[in-house]
């Protein structure tokens, strides 16, 4: 990940991603001019081109390779491939059995997700405090939106791109194609605007809200917060849209936000959402199944000995 | 609070939710302020502002 070292002029062996500040402007410019942003987005799209391919990332969580929570925070000088080879030994796919093929697929999936996470980190660094690069990255927001919610860092990347750019913040409530329509009458324009508005980035994240995992849920809240303000000033268009979509709509509000109750003594009470309670029975079933498998194995080995 | 104990994730979500509410009201947005005030009164906020159990660090 020498690009991160290059952007931040770091000479140390490893970089702490949480402590990265300003990237060097001229180097950001060089990377943009050399077409790195487009290439990175192409790689992102090639790694996970469809929603189905992204859904396979859930296998990683089930197999325990990728655990929930903060992932990348330190990047070393060794290449990702070297790290990957050291961590997982890839078996020969051609001659292997089905089980080893599946195992390989999981490992490759882990590798691809690691690549995407690092690309999002590099894109954040390329765009940080550089309006031109932020706008260039914003052109590919549809791909970032598609990849958000799979713990690749796409939502954090979107937030980083938009939060310091008023022009982009004002674009969040409309679809990117809305500006490109020409020669339309006023009524057609209004209709087109209303139709396209439902495809806006804010609409997208509000739709994702309902089925989001707890960590993605927090990311969406962070995105909506970032969409509401620019340098301690409110962005009224976005505030009004988020208000009408999330706060005013009782169904969305009940399904997405923590229910807060204020008692007469000003004590705040919060209802625990269902997805946290639903974890327990599932894990109990898994434990029972695990015990059953072990006891069966023991019986089988005892029978064999006799 | 009924569930702060050990529920780091929920406290974090709650903090983000409060952040969203505050950003929605930023710049004297009276419409947002009015509807948020219905579920979260100013006096409740003022009482809980010093509640250390509601901070991310103590969750």
């Amino acid at each position: 990940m020498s690009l991160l070292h290059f952007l931040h002029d770091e000479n140390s062996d490893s970089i702490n991603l949480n402590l990265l500040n300003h990237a060097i402007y001229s180097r950001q410019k060089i990377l943009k001019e050399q077409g790195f942003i487009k290439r990175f987005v192409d790689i992102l799209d090639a790694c996970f081109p469809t929603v189905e391919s992204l859904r396979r990332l859930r296998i990683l969580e089930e197999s325990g390779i990728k655990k929930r929570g903060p992932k990348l925070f330190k990047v070393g000088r060794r290449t990702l491939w070297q790290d990957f080879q050291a961590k997982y030994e890839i078996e020969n796919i051609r001659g292997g059995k089905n089980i080893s093929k599946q195992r390989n697929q999981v490992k490759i999936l882990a590798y691809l997700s690691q690549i995407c996470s690092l690309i999002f980190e590099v894109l954040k660094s390329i765009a940080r405090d550089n309006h031109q690069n932020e706008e260039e990255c914003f052109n590919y927001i549809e791909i970032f939106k598609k990849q958000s919610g799979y713990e690749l860092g796409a939502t954090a990347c979107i937030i980083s791109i938009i939060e310091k750019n008023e022009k982009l913040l004002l674009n969040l409530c409309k679809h990117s194609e809305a500006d490109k329509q020409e020669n339309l009458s006023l009524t057609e324009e209004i209709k087109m605007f209303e139709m396209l508005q439902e495809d806006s980035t804010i609409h997208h994240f509000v739709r994702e809200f309902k089925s989001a995992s707890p960590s993605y849920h927090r990311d969406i809240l962070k995105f909506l917060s970032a969409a509401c303000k620019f340098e301690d000033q409110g962005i009224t268009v976005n505030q009004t849209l988020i208000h009408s979509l999330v706060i005013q709509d009782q169904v969305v509000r009940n399904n997405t936000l923590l229910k807060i109750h204020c008692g007469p003594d000003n004590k705040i009470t919060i209802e625990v959402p269902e997805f946290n309670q639903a974890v327990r029975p599932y894990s109990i079933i898994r434990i029972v199944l695990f015990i059953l498998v072990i006891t069966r194995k023991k019986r089988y080995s005892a029978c064999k000995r006799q | 609070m009924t569930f702060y104990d050990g529920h780091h994730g929920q406290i974090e979500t709650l903090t983000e939710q409060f952040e969203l509410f505050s950003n929605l009201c930023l710049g004297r947005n009276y419409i947002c302020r009015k509807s948020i005030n219905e579920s979260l009164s100013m006096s409740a906020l003022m009482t809980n502002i010093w509640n250390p159990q509601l901070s991310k660090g103590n969750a």
Side-chain angles (χ1 to χ4, degrees):
Chain A
M1 282 279 74
S2 39
L3 270 180
L4 277 174
H5 287 88
F6 172 69
L7 276 165
H8 295 274
D9 202 22
E10 278 280 340
N11 293 317
S12 53
D13 282 340
S14 64
I15 289 181
N16 190 335
L17 296 175
N18 293 331
L19 300 175
L20 287 180
N21 286 320
H22 298 285
I24 299 168
Y25 181 79
S26 56
R27 294 185 182 184
Q28 287 177 322
K29 210 175 160 187
I30 288 169
L31 290 181
K32 189 208 161 200
E33 283 166 3
Q34 299 285 325
F36 271 82
I37 297 174
K38 173 85 180 88
R39 290 289 156 267
F40 281 138
V41 175
D42 287 344
I43 297 169
L44 285 176
D45 204 26
C47 284
F48 299 104
T50 57
V51 181
E52 283 71 37
S53 58
L54 281 161
R55 279 188 189 139
R56 282 191 293 152
L57 280 172
R58 302 227 162 98
I59 300 168
L60 293 184
E61 285 161 24
E62 284 164 20
S63 62
I65 286 181
K66 191 180 168 189
K67 285 174 185 168
R68 289 187 168 278
K71 306 160 277 150
L72 280 171
F73 60 94
K74 255 186 176 179
V75 181
R77 269 196 184 278
R78 288 173 66 178
T79 65
L80 197 59
W81 180 245
Q82 280 173 330
D83 268 346
F84 186 70
Q85 277 184 320
K87 217 172 175 181
Y88 321 104
E89 285 170 8
I90 291 194
E91 293 151 48
N92 183 16
I93 298 177
R94 283 175 199 162
K97 290 174 190 172
N98 277 342
I99 303 164
S100 61
K101 271 185 189 176
Q102 278 178 354
R103 222 180 296 151
N104 268 359
Q105 278 180 350
V106 172
K107 286 170 185 177
I108 290 164
L109 217 53
Y111 179 55
L112 291 180
S113 86
Q114 226 177 333
I115 288 176
C116 290
S117 304
L118 282 168
I119 287 178
F120 280 120
E121 286 301 330
V122 177
L123 284 175
K124 268 160 73 175
S125 288
I126 291 177
R128 188 171 287 151
D129 300 325
N130 185 323
H131 280 210
Q132 281 181 333
N133 289 10
E134 281 168 355
E135 281 160 29
E136 169 85 9
C137 288
F138 194 77
N139 291 333
Y140 308 106
I141 196 153
E142 291 303 319
I143 291 166
F144 300 162
K145 268 156 64 176
K146 190 176 75 187
Q147 300 204 346
S148 56
Y150 296 93
E151 304 203 8
L152 299 171
T155 322
C157 183
I158 294 175
I159 296 169
S160 168
I161 290 165
I162 57 152
E163 69 183 346
K164 285 176 186 170
N165 193 320
E166 194 178 12
K167 189 181 160 190
L168 300 181
L169 282 166
L170 289 167
N171 268 325
L172 291 176
C173 61
K174 55 185 176 186
H175 191 264
S176 50
E177 296 292 314
D179 293 336
K180 293 173 188 170
Q181 303 291 329
E182 284 172 9
N183 305 324
L184 293 172
S185 67
L186 189 66
T187 45
E188 278 176 330
E189 246 180 48
I190 292 166
K191 268 186 189 173
M192 184 68 81
F193 180 75
E194 281 172 357
M195 203 176 75
L196 290 172
Q197 207 191 29
E198 289 187 9
D199 258 351
S200 72
T201 312
I202 290 176
H203 274 88
H204 167 82
F205 279 108
V206 171
R207 271 199 303 273
E208 294 275 292
F209 230 149
K210 291 171 199 167
S211 54
S213 66
S215 66
Y216 186 32
H217 192 272
R218 280 193 288 279
D219 282 346
I220 296 174
L221 283 172
K222 278 178 197 166
F223 167 79
L224 295 176
S225 291
C228 285
K229 70 165 186 179
F230 172 70
E231 288 181 353
D232 293 332
Q233 291 292 315
I235 305 274
T236 319
V237 204
N238 293 351
Q239 284 175 329
T240 315
L241 184 61
I242 294 166
H243 175 254
S244 66
L245 290 175
V246 182
I247 311 288
Q248 267 186 337
D249 191 324
Q250 279 298 324
V251 182
V252 178
R253 186 176 178 160
N254 290 342
N255 287 334
T256 55
L257 298 181
L258 288 172
K259 286 172 197 158
I260 304 168
H261 305 285
C262 286
D265 52 346
N266 285 332
K267 198 176 177 182
I268 293 178
T269 325
I270 290 124
E271 280 181 36
V272 181
E274 277 174 20
F275 53 70
N276 295 311
Q277 292 164 341
V279 176
R280 281 191 175 174
Y282 176 65
S283 45
I284 289 166
I285 291 165
R286 281 182 79 173
I287 292 163
V288 170
L289 278 171
F290 180 68
I291 292 164
L292 274 172
V293 169
I294 284 179
T295 46
R296 274 198 168 189
K297 268 190 177 176
K298 275 188 178 174
R299 271 186 203 169
Y300 179 71
S301 55
C303 285
K304 251 191 167 182
R305 267 181 229 152
Q306 282 173 357
Chain B
M1 288 291 294
T2 52
F3 69 94
Y4 70 86
D5 224 353
H7 290 79
H8 183 80
Q10 278 125 358
I11 290 292
E12 242 183 289
T13 310
L14 183 67
T15 317
E16 293 303 337
Q17 197 168 306
F18 281 143
E19 188 80 29
L20 173 64
F21 286 169
S22 79
N23 286 350
L24 279 170
C25 300
L26 208 68
R28 301 184 180 182
N29 194 323
Y30 291 107
I31 305 164
C32 295
R33 192 187 284 188
K34 196 186 164 197
S35 52
I36 288 166
N37 247 337
E38 283 167 15
S39 60
L40 207 59
S41 68
M42 184 61 82
S43 55
L45 282 173
M46 293 306 284
T47 312
N48 285 285
I49 202 165
W50 303 115
N51 187 350
Q53 290 159 347
L54 281 173
S55 84
K56 274 192 213 176
N58 293 326

